[in-house]
Amino acid sequence: MFVALHHVQLLTPVGGEDAARAFYGGVLGMTELAKPPVLAARGGCWFRGGGWEVHLSPVPDFAPATKAHPGVLVDDLDGLAVILGAAGRPVEWDPHFPGHRRLYSRDDHGNRLEFLEPVRG
């Protein structure tokens, strides 16, 4: 029945697009997608890269998702940790997920992101 996850939606404060671009495009190197005109009128921005897509949507009563999060598989968790750290983003290692190494970070709006790498060997 299910084929794949199409996208994850995260919220931002109104006017938060530039910060989202700096993090998802600048730090993570994701490609910004053109939104359909009817949706572009609502604000926000969309990004795709490495098999996942995130839609950032502004809301007036924004509160960051501090517990809920997308879990994104990566093939170089240590390299990502270096990139995040060099960009001044938090890196919180968590060894409690069997069969995977993982870390948490946050975007510039405080939304939690989980990055996982399968343990090899």
Side-chain angles (χ1 to χ4, degrees):
M1 173 187 231
F2 299 111
V3 176
L5 178 66
H6 184 274
H7 70 273
V8 172
Q9 180 184 42
L10 296 174
L11 303 180
T12 67
V14 173
E17 290 88 353
D18 287 344
R21 287 181 179 103
F23 181 76
Y24 292 94
V27 175
L28 297 184
M30 298 175 80
T31 300
E32 186 169 357
L33 305 173
K35 291 179 66 174
V38 67
L39 298 177
R42 299 178 188 172
C45 42
W46 295 357
F47 295 88
R48 181 184 296 145
W52 74 299
E53 190 169 305
V54 60
H55 296 181
L56 289 301
S57 298
V59 294
D61 56 345
F62 170 74
T66 58
K67 183 73 172 168
H69 58 270
V72 182
L73 288 172
V74 301
D75 63 7
D76 183 5
L77 194 61
D78 293 311
L80 177 60
V82 168
I83 290 168
L84 290 167
R89 297 337 193 265
V91 173
E92 175 190 346
W93 289 94
D94 183 349
H96 304 292
F97 196 92
H100 293 80
R101 297 176 61 231
R102 75 174 170 177
L103 65 81
Y104 291 102
S105 191
R106 298 190 184 277
D107 69 12
D108 288 348
H109 300 299
N111 292 309
R112 187 180 202 194
L113 304 168
E114 176 184 23
F115 298 100
L116 306 101
E117 178 181 61
V119 173
R120 295 176 177 87

